[in-house]
């Protein structure tokens, strides 16, 4: 009884077979079929390898939301070299609430303004990268993926000790400010704070010593991340006028970065530059110096690295294999039909005419001698 039930179940399963098998004795192989099969298998292998590289790759996903964090502090990282002596210049930050941030986090270091050949090469390379980033915005995603692997973006130190006088001042360090609009300015004289605001003591500085030619080696907001290139990194401005004002208008966008290598809270920013000569007689009023006016955006950007899931990769792979199989089957039939038509029309290959002998021909059949029967498949002439 068990054997009978098993046979019935097996026969029932066989009847449900949607892929009936054909005996090998009924299958005819051909050179054209083998060629198409070889091309199909090669295409499958190539597309499968390319799809695997796509599966291994990642992409950056951008999400936007309202920034609800108003209580935290904003960190400003700066490294600016001014072509004046340190005792003649001062830097401070004044925010929208008239709150003066002391420059205790900033350091003044006497340096040489001119760069060495190695440093000049670094600056040219940085300018080249900056230009490519402005043209190809997709390169920013490459920088996000290769964080902590890229070369340091800071100016390399001088390779030799020079005897030239230290006529420039490097102002570098970081300070924490409120997340409101503010103004980082570098001008003549050291800053002092008083109840009515703040001022810079410039009475003891000669007007001939004013020179606000400067180089911004680094300027960023938020946590410093190796490999990130900011818009103003490597900027150099040279002026030959003592009363020159340089202005940078910056919009800071809070950014949360989540990749497979790092997770950090940083800030992106866009900048607009402007410079003019202070000439009170011509109606151009103001104060000579370098002014970085920044404002924070109300939107927050979340940048996360995404990866194709395994199930999606397998579905795409099955689609490639199945699509090529179904396409090559129809292609093989069409190519074979066209090949037969051409060969039959021009009597090529196996379709070449052959004489058929009918044995001994009697005199009564001599009238049929001029006619020869040529046959091959469905193509024949008499």
């Amino acid at each position: 009884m068990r054997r009978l039930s098993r046979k019935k179940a097996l026969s029932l399963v066989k009847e449900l077979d949607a892929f009936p098998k054909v005996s090998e004795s009924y299958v005819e192989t051909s050179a054209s079929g083998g060629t198409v099969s070889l091309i199909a298998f090669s295409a499958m292998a190539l597309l499968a390898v390319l799809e695997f590289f796509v599966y291994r790759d990642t992409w950056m996903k951008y999400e936007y939301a309202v920034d609800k964090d108003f209580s935290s502090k904003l960190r400003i990282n700066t490294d600016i070299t001014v072509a004046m002596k340190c005792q003649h210049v001062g830097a401070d930050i004044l925010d929208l609430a008239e709150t003066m941030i002391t420059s205790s986090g900033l350091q003044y270091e006497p340096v040489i303004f001119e760069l060495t050949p190695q440093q000049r090469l670094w600056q040219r390379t940085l300018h080249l990268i900056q230009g490519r980033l402005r043209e190809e915005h997709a390169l920013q995603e490459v920088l996000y993926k290769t964080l902590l692997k890229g070369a340091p973006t800071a100016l390399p130190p001088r390779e030799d000790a020079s005897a030239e006088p230290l006529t420039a001042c490097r102002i570098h360090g970081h300070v924490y400010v409120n997340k409101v609009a503010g103004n980082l300015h570098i001008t003549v004289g050291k800053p002092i704070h008083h109840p009515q605001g703040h001022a810079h003591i410039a009475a003891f500085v000669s007007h001939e010593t004013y020179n606000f030619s400067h180089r911004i080696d680094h300027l960023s907001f938020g946590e410093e991340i190796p490999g990130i290139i900011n818009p103003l990194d490597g900027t150099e401005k040279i002026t030959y006028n003592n009363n020159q004002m340089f202005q940078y208008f910056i919009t800071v966008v809070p950014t949360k970065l989540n990749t497979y290598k790092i997770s950090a809270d940083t800030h992106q920013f866009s900048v607009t530059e402007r410079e003019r000569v202070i000439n009170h007689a011509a109606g151009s009023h103001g104060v000579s110096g370098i002014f970085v006016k920044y404002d924070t955006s109300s939107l927050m950007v979340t940048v996360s690295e995404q990866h194709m899931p395994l199930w999606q990769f397998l579905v795409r792979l099955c689609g490639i294999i199945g699509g090529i199989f179904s396409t090559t089957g129809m292609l093989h039939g069409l190519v074979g039909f066209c090949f037969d038509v051409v060969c039959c029309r021009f009597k090529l290959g196996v379709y070449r005419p052959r004489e058929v002998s009918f044995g001994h021909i009697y005199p009564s059949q001599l009238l049929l001698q001029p006619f020869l029967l040529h046959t091959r498949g469905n193509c024949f002439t008499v």
Side-chain angles (χ1 to χ4, degrees), residues 29-43 328 331-332 335:
T29 59
S30 62
S32 61
T35 303
V36 173
S37 299
L38 183 61
I39 295 175
F41 288 129
S42 301
T328 51
L331 182 63
H332 176 237
V335 170

Side-chain angles (χ1 to χ4, degrees), residues 352-356 371-376 379-382:
R352 182 175 300 174
R354 295 183 299 176
E355 294 184 359
V356 180
F371 300 95
L372 298 176
L373 179 64
H374 308 284
T375 178
R376 174 64 176 91
C379 180
F380 65 89
T381 59
V382 178

Side-chain angles (χ1 to χ4, degrees), residues 5 42 62 72-73 80 89 91 93 156 184 202 204 208 252 277 290 301 307 331 359 367:
S5 61
S42 301
Y62 295 85
S72 62
K73 296 291 185 178
I80 303 175
V89 295
I93 300 175
L184 164 65
F204 304 102
E208 286 72 18
V252 183
V277 177
I290 305 166
V301 180
H307 187 272
L331 182 63
L367 294 176

Side-chain angles (χ1 to χ4, degrees), residues 338-349 351-352 379:
C338 296
F339 182 78
D340 290 340
V341 170
V342 172
C343 291
C344 181
R345 175 65 180 83
F346 296 99
K347 297 181 177 59
L348 302 175
Y351 294 94
R352 182 175 300 174
C379 180

Side-chain angles (χ1 to χ4, degrees), residues 173-217:
H174 64 272
V175 293
Y176 291 91
V177 299
N178 300 320
K179 293 184 68 173
V180 295
N183 183 8
L184 164 65
H185 51 274
I186 302 173
T187 186
V188 178
K190 297 300 179 180
I192 59 171
H193 183 66
H194 56 85
Q196 300 298 327
H198 85 290
H200 288 255
I201 303 178
F204 304 102
V205 181
S206 174
H207 186 268
E208 286 72 18
T209 61
Y210 288 15
N211 186 1
F212 286 101
S213 299
H214 63 280
R215 182 177 60 253
I216 303 177
D217 297 324

